[in-house]
């Protein structure tokens, strides 16, 4: 039995998997459900029913049909020849940017909206930072005719006007989070408070592999379609099912969880998570949680958290709003601590350069988040025998203002 | 017998637990407020440890915590202030807060320092039962501290009994499913309070969330042992600089004593 899993893993003869948490929601020492009693009934309802619902044939059929006909899955696995030539290796891009709404976020919101329907919930709440998860939630609520309320930091509302407009056009109500630092972490607090105050009719669609158990596991399962497709597509393209490397950016970590999922227990596959270093790890303006955080409790689970010596959660910084989060999903904290995944980081500047590089080499404008994953190519020593898969989690339309600003600055 | 148990031995009706935020309105007002609460007629004090992300709290208490943090309050400073708490403060004192700062401070060190300062009990709403039973409960008990769990109207009888078995001091009955400071009508909650009363619990029950005036106080006390008041008092403190007078006036408006 692997030494990586601690005593919290239920005893058994099977080799413990990195994929699923134990009965209490722990991945190693991270996870759990650190919630006030006011949330217990809702979270418990979800915990006792999510697997049964997700495994039911009717649910699977509806989910798979929507992923195919509405989201546009499977998304292509594209061999990026010019990018490969530059790094003298073989690089495949998993094109999550081609999903409906422009990012992988919708894989999860489609799944959770079907779950909410089966739980009899008519009112949907969500948090959003850059607005991608908010748009993906507003989209599926429109699809299902459900009420949608999105909490968004007051500062983010000002910074992300196009996504605010998209959510409103889709019929969602966008409520500014005015407490604390007025960004994603506070929007998450406000969504949790709303759930406390509306315990009967409301489902909370968390956008990442964070939150109390069962959210990290549930969201990872919905996103796992990414790696499921990669395996099939890679086999078809190369004859080999397994890549040598999978690279994904990590804020909370949902696209990385999805891209890693079916490779977690394949020891030969090197998993590389790329965090946002912001202005640099030692600058005080960073979002690289594994490098700067310490064990703590944030938004209902134990994980690594960026915080002061007094245990106050600090405001991170990244040029990419989707990576601008002071925590990280408990699965990733465990992958970091156990050494199963390698955690790298890229600065704002490096991410911008990688985004411009991809645009010019492959004709693809990536989201700033995904650009962090691309930037990691410069930090790896790859050879022509490697088969590298990069999760291109989203498209860059939402980041055009930042890119234009960078061009004016000479990039 | 703990100081909290002794209190309930001598008084088990209309017990008044008053909440205040450490370091609010001023960094050094903590002891002044505690003294004012004791003189004003509070039976217990629940001292809030400010936190950047207080999930169970509404805007008023969160804003007081934000101000306290801006004032420079930390757990280390709080324990410094509390060194001088006893014997001037004779009534039971509980610390209320969230897990993250306590974990950073070091859970066992936190319990040790709290006990050394004369703190009687802890309320940590985001410490779950499983982790309490497997890890933290033993540390809390080793230092002789009471630990108070919360129940809500949604908590099943079976779960209330489990929570009661793990709690000591009293049980915190959240009046309705809400964050702190919502204007809810206690009259509608009588069935819930009666249900708790009928379970034959080992701990006394104090009702919190939404108690703000004489009427909500009387309604909440009808089938329980008393109340916890936070938001309404924090608002009352904002009325003027004279803490003792504001506290006296506020408590009188509730208890008429």
């Amino acid at each position: 039995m692997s030494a990586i899993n601690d005593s919290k893993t239920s005893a058994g003869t099977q080799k413990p998997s990195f994929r699923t948490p134990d009965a209490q929601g722990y991945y190693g020492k991270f996870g759990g459900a650190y919630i006030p009693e006011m949330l217990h009934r809702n979270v418990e309802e979800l915990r006792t029913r999510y697997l049964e619902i997700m495994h039911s044939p009717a649910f699977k059929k509806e989910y798979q049909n929507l992923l195919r006909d509405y989201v546009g899955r499977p998304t292509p696995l594209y061999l990026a020849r010019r990018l490969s030539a530059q790094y003298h290796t073989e690089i495949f891009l998993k094109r999550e940017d081609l999903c409906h709404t422009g990012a992988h976020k919708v894989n999860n919101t489609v799944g959770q909206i079907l779950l909410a329907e089966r739980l009899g919930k008519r009112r949907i709440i969500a948090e959003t930072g850059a607005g991608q998860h908010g748009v993906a939630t507003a989209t599926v609520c429109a699809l299902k005719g459900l009420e949608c309320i999105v909490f968004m930091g007051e500062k983010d509302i000002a910074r992300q006007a196009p996504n605010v407009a998209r959510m409103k056009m889709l019929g969602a109500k966008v409520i500014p989070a005015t407490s604390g630092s007025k960004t994603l972490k506070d929007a998450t607090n406000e969504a949790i408070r709303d759930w406390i105050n509306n315990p009967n009719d409301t489902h909370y669609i968390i956008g990442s592999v964070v939150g109390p158990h069962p959210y990290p596991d549930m969201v990872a399962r919905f996103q796992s379609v990414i790696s499921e497709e990669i395996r099939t597509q890679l086999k078809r393209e190369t004859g080999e099912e397994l890549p040598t490397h999978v690279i994904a950016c990590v804020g909370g970590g949902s696209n990385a969880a999805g891209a890693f999922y079916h490779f977690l227990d394949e020891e030969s596959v090197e998993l590389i998570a790329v965090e946002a270093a912001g202005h640099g790890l030692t600058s005080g303006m960073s979002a690289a949680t594994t490098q700067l955080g310490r064990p703590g409790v944030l938004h209902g689970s134990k994980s690594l958290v960026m915080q002061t010596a007094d245990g106050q959660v600090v405001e991170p910084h990244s040029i990419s709003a989707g990576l601008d989060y002071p925590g990280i999903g408990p699965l990733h904290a465990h992958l970091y601590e156990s050494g199963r995944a390698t955690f790298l980081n890229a600065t704002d500047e490096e991410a911008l350069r990688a985004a411009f590089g991809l645009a010019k080499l492959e004709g693809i404008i990536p989201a700033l988040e995904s650009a962090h994953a691309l930037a990691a190519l410069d930090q790896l020593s790859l050879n022509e025998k490697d088969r590298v898969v990069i999760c291109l989690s989203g498209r860059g339309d939402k980041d055009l203002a930042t890119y234009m600003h960078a061009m004016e600055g000479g990039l | 017998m703990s100081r909290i148990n002794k209190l309930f031995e001598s008084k088990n009706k209309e017990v008044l637990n008053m909440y205040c935020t450490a370091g609010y309105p001023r960094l050094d007002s903590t002891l002044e407020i505690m003294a004012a609460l004791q003189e004003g007629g509070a039976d217990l004090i629940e001292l809030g440890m400010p936190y950047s992300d207080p999930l169970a709290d509404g805007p008023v208490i969160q804003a007081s915590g934000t101000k306290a943090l801006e004032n420079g309050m930390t757990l280390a400073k709080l324990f410094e202030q509390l060194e001088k708490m006893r014997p001037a403060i004779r009534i039971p004192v509980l610390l209320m807060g969230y897990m993250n700062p306590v974990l950073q401070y070091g859970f066992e060190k936190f319990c040790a320092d709290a006990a050394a300062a004369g703190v009687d009990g802890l309320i940590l709403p985001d410490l779950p039962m499983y982790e309490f039973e497997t890890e933290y409960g033993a540390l809390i008990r080793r230092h002789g501290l009471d630990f108070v769990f919360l129940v809500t109207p949604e908590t099943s009888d079976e779960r209330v009994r489990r929570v009661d078995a793990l709690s000591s001091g009293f049980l915190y009955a959240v009046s309705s499913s809400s964050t702190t400071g919502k204007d809810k009508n206690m009259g509608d909650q009588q069935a819930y309070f009666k249900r708790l009363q009928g379970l034959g619990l080992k701990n006394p029950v104090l009702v919190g969330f939404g108690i703000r005036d004489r009427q909500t106080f009387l309604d909440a006390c009808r089938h329980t042992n008393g109340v916890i008041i936070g938001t309404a008092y924090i608002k009352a403190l904002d009325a003027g600089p004279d803490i003792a007078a504001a506290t006296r006036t506020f408590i009188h408006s509730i208890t008429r004593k």
Side-chain angles (χ1 to χ4, degrees):
Chain A
M1 190 181 260
S2 161
I4 287 159
N5 283 275
D6 68 4
S7 59
K8 287 215 174 77
T9 305
S10 53
T13 49
Q14 261 185 326
K15 194 174 175 186
S17 168
F18 278 100
R19 294 209 310 226
T20 45
D22 71 10
Q24 300 296 329
Y26 279 91
Y27 300 88
K29 65 181 195 189
F30 300 113
Y34 291 77
I35 50 167
E37 182 65 21
M38 293 80 93
L39 283 174
H40 177 264
R41 204 188 66 161
N42 270 325
V43 172
E44 184 66 5
E45 179 182 35
L46 208 56
R47 189 184 70 81
T48 52
R49 298 203 53 199
Y50 80 111
L51 289 177
E52 159 221 329
I53 292 174
M54 286 173 73
H55 290 153
S56 74
F59 179 95
K60 277 189 188 164
K61 186 158 182 265
E62 194 177 358
Y63 180 56
Q64 281 158 6
N65 286 349
L66 279 174
L67 286 187
R68 185 188 64 216
D69 303 331
Y70 188 70
V71 174
R73 302 204 73 93
T75 58
L77 184 70
Y78 164 70
L79 173 59
R81 290 180 200 283
R82 296 188 67 207
L83 186 68
S84 298
Q86 182 174 320
Y87 289 97
H88 310 291
T89 186
E90 206 169 37
I91 300 171
F92 293 87
L93 301 178
K94 181 57 175 166
R95 297 291 308 274
E96 293 301 297
D97 59 316
L98 296 176
C99 287
H100 178 41
T101 73
H104 73 289
K105 290 287 185 190
V106 73
N107 302 329
N108 169 44
T109 61
V110 165
Q112 285 204 47
I113 204 82
L114 298 181
L115 200 94
E117 269 193 322
R118 282 155 177 80
L119 294 171
K121 309 285 183 178
R122 304 292 306 167
R123 183 175 174 275
I124 302 297
I125 57 171
E127 84 295 338
T128 198
Q132 289 305 104
H133 174 59
V135 168
T137 304
T139 298
V140 296
C141 286
L143 178 71
K144 288 291 181 180
L146 297 179
E147 185 185 357
C148 180
I149 295 131
V150 179
F151 293 88
M152 189 168 183
E154 201 172 45
K155 281 188 192 160
D156 291 332
I157 287 180
R159 290 192 286 200
Q160 308 287 340
N163 272 342
V164 176
R166 288 168 84 195
M167 285 185 268
K168 287 184 177 163
M169 183 163 174
L170 291 161
K173 189 171 168 196
V174 180
I175 299 184
T178 56
S179 62
S181 52
K182 304 180 176 64
T183 58
L184 175 58
K185 115 184 142 60
D186 309 283
T188 308
N189 291 338
E190 291 304 329
I192 293 174
R193 290 192 183 108
D194 179 286
W195 209 20
I196 288 175
N197 284 294
N198 295 281
N200 296 317
D201 61 343
T202 299
H203 175 69
Y204 176 20
I205 300 190
I206 296 184
S208 193
V209 286
V210 302
H213 178 61
Y215 276 102
D217 182 46
M218 181 171 70
V219 177
R221 284 170 190 263
F222 284 135
Q223 293 294 358
S224 70
V225 65
I226 300 173
S227 48
E228 193 182 324
E229 289 176 4
I230 293 172
R231 281 187 87 126
T232 313
Q233 292 166 322
L234 204 61
K235 172 93 177 160
R236 200 168 52 217
E237 291 296 311
T238 68
E240 297 283 345
E241 213 173 318
L242 300 181
T244 54
H245 301 73
V246 180
I247 308 177
C249 64
V250 177
S254 69
N255 94 84
F260 292 170
Y261 198 85
H262 290 283
F263 304 115
L264 285 168
D265 297 326
E266 303 282 0
E267 282 166 24
S268 71
V269 181
E270 199 171 320
L271 305 174
I272 295 155
V274 188
E275 294 182 290
H279 293 187
L281 288 183
T282 56
S283 66
M285 298 274 283
S286 181
T289 303
T290 61
Q291 305 305 306
L292 301 169
R294 290 187 301 278
V297 170
L298 179 66
H299 298 144
S301 61
K302 193 172 195 185
S303 189
L304 295 168
V305 179
M306 289 172 61
Q307 53 188 310
T308 66
D310 185 47
Q312 309 299 333
V313 182
V314 300
E315 190 55 22
H317 167 82
S318 167
I319 193 169
S320 138
L323 304 182
D324 203 357
Y325 183 68
I328 188 169
L331 163 66
H332 294 296
H334 181 50
L335 295 179
Y336 174 72
E337 282 240 331
S338 64
R340 173 64 189 94
T342 304
F343 280 71
L344 304 176
N345 54 81
T347 63
D348 292 352
E349 171 88 22
E350 289 163 345
L352 280 170
R353 288 189 185 282
F356 279 83
L358 189 73
K360 288 186 181 124
L361 278 177
E362 298 288 347
I364 297 170
I365 298 176
L368 268 167
E369 290 78 12
S370 323
H372 286 73
L374 293 160
L377 286 169
D378 287 329
Q379 301 175 32
L380 297 168
S381 36
L382 301 164
N383 65 52
E384 60 272 20
K385 289 205 178 121
D386 288 329
R387 288 179 304 280
V388 180
V389 174
I390 299 179
C391 187
L392 199 72
S393 56
R395 66 179 183 224
D397 306 41
K398 69 182 176 59
D399 299 312
L400 275 182
T402 309
Y403 290 149
M404 279 156 62
H405 186 73
M407 283 190 279
E408 284 158 18
L411 255 181
Chain B
M1 188 187 277
S2 80
R3 207 181 263 119
I4 299 175
N5 293 147
K6 276 185 206 143
L7 164 71
F8 284 102
E9 281 232 318
S10 63
K11 178 175 181 180
N12 67 1
K13 292 303 288 177
E14 301 193 358
V15 169
L16 181 63
N17 181 358
M18 292 293 295
Y19 172 92
C20 56
T21 302
Y24 179 84
R26 301 187 320 275
L27 178 60
D28 61 358
S29 59
T30 313
L31 288 183
E32 185 184 343
I33 288 196
M34 293 173 84
L37 285 170
Q38 176 172 271
E39 297 321 308
D43 297 305
L44 300 87
I45 294 170
E46 182 182 326
L47 192 56
M49 303 176 283
Y51 177 46
S52 55
D53 297 77
L55 282 186
D57 286 305
V60 173
I61 289 183
Q62 181 173 21
S64 73
T66 303
K67 181 79 200 313
L69 292 174
E70 284 166 12
N71 290 343
M73 184 48 84
T74 63
L75 278 182
K77 283 224 171 71
L78 177 59
F79 284 126
E80 250 174 57
Q81 294 181 352
L82 293 186
E83 271 176 21
K84 298 172 212 114
M85 172 174 80
R86 309 285 184 196
I89 304 298
R90 303 174 303 276
I91 59 179
V93 174
L94 295 102
L95 291 179
M96 181 272 169
Y98 294 84
M99 278 296 276
N100 195 59
V102 176
L103 288 174
Q104 273 308 298
Y105 193 81
F107 201 92
E108 173 135 43
K109 182 173 186 296
F110 173 83
C111 293
D113 289 358
V119 167
D120 303 291
L122 304 178
I123 304 175
L124 299 169
D126 61 348
L127 171 53
M129 268 201 269
Y130 172 77
E131 283 72 12
F132 180 89
E133 287 186 279
T134 53
E135 191 167 0
Y136 300 109
L139 299 177
I140 294 167
R141 292 204 184 99
R142 186 181 304 160
H143 292 279
L145 296 167
D146 284 321
F147 190 85
V148 173
F149 276 98
L150 275 59
V151 298
T152 79
E154 314 286 341
T155 311
S156 68
D157 287 356
E158 186 202 344
R159 189 170 165 87
V160 173
R161 288 207 170 89
R162 278 185 62 203
V163 163
D164 180 52
L166 292 180
S167 294
S168 61
F170 62 90
L171 209 57
Y172 193 135
V174 176
S175 64
S176 60
S177 294
S178 74
T179 43
T180 54
K182 294 271 170 183
D183 287 347
K184 303 267 173 146
N185 185 350
M186 294 301 136
D188 299 343
Q189 304 299 339
Q190 295 307 322
Y192 159 52
F193 300 145
K194 261 177 139 161
R195 173 165 73 89
L196 293 177
Q197 192 180 29
L199 289 175
L201 304 174
K202 72 167 196 195
N203 288 294
V205 172
L206 297 185
V207 179
F209 290 37
I211 319 295
R212 60 191 177 277
D213 53 22
R214 176 81 181 153
Q215 189 57 47
T216 47
F217 170 72
L218 291 175
D219 286 344
C221 285
R222 202 171 303 152
H223 298 289
T224 70
N225 304 95
V227 302
I228 303 156
I229 302 182
T231 299
Y233 175 57
I234 300 285
K235 280 185 189 166
L237 279 177
D238 294 342
D242 188 340
I243 285 173
T247 303
R248 212 165 30 241
T249 307
F250 180 80
I251 294 181
H252 179 75
S253 77
I254 302 290
T255 60
R256 299 286 152 83
K257 278 174 195 160

